[in-house]
């Protein structure tokens, strides 16, 4: 039986990223005294959504990558999908680190890059997810 080493590496990265994003929410809440809810605070909303979006996507992708790796072994396909998902999630987090990326505010000059990172992150997540689903179906045949 192959150990899912690529999945383990992806899980370690995603866990670290999730903790960092969680801490940014917690530290912001602690400094503003906004312990529950969003309080119509766009910065808090941006940080909560950045953290939540990773949580929404990471578990399913990790399960899919793990199943694919168990079915097919440590192939280049598994490595590329895991790496691609990690890059996509990091790009999305970077994009969401500014109100320009999360809310489309003040998209002048260099701030457009945050929106671009968010787009790259979202499409990268979708592409790696579809790629993993297709690879799993192929591995089952």
């Amino acid at each position: 039986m192959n150990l899912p080493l690529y999945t383990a590496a992806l899980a370690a990265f995603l866990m670290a990223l999730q903790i960092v994003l969680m801490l940014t929410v917690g530290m912001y809440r602690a400094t503003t005294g906004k312990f529950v809810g969003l309080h119509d605070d766009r910065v808090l909303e941006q940080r909560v959504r950045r953290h939540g979006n990773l949580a929404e996507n990471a578990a399913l992708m990790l399960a899919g990558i793990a199943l694919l790796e168990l079915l097919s072994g440590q192939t280049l396909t598994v490595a590329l999908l895991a790496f691609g998902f990690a890059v996509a999630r990091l790009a999305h987090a970077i994009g969401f680190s500014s109100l320009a990326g999360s809310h489309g505010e003040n998209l002048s000059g260099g701030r457009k890059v945050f929106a671009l990172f968010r787009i790259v992150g979202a499409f990268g997540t979708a592409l790696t997810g579809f790629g993993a689903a297709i690879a799993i179906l192929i591995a089952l045949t």
Side-chain angles (χ1 to χ4, degrees), residues 7-137:
T7 304
L10 177 61
F13 171 77
L14 293 174
M15 290 167 68
L17 181 58
Q18 186 75 356
I19 291 166
V20 168
L21 297 180
M22 176 191 70
L23 290 174
T24 64
V25 173
M27 290 186 311
Y28 186 83
R29 285 186 183 282
T31 60
T32 62
K34 298 174 180 176
F35 297 109
V36 177
L38 298 177
H39 304 274
D40 292 325
D41 184 327
R42 294 169 74 83
V43 172
L44 180 56
E45 178 185 17
Q46 164 252 324
R47 291 179 184 195
V48 167
R49 285 303 311 136
R50 181 176 64 177
H51 171 257
N53 193 275
L54 178 60
E56 292 167 359
N57 288 281
L60 184 58
M61 188 64 172
L62 272 174
I65 292 290
L67 290 170
L68 178 59
E69 192 167 6
L70 290 171
L71 287 167
S72 63
Q74 295 164 353
T75 64
L76 181 60
T77 299
V78 175
L80 289 175
L81 287 168
F83 181 75
F85 184 74
V87 169
R89 295 321 306 167
L90 184 59
H92 193 269
I94 291 168
F96 245 83
S97 66
S98 165
L99 289 176
S102 65
H103 290 78
E105 287 185 8
N106 195 12
L107 287 172
S108 60
R111 295 175 191 235
K112 291 179 185 177
V113 74
F114 290 103
L116 179 62
F117 269 99
R118 182 178 177 190
I119 291 166
V120 168
F123 278 109
T125 298
L127 287 174
T128 55
F130 279 126
I134 290 167
I136 291 168
L137 291 173

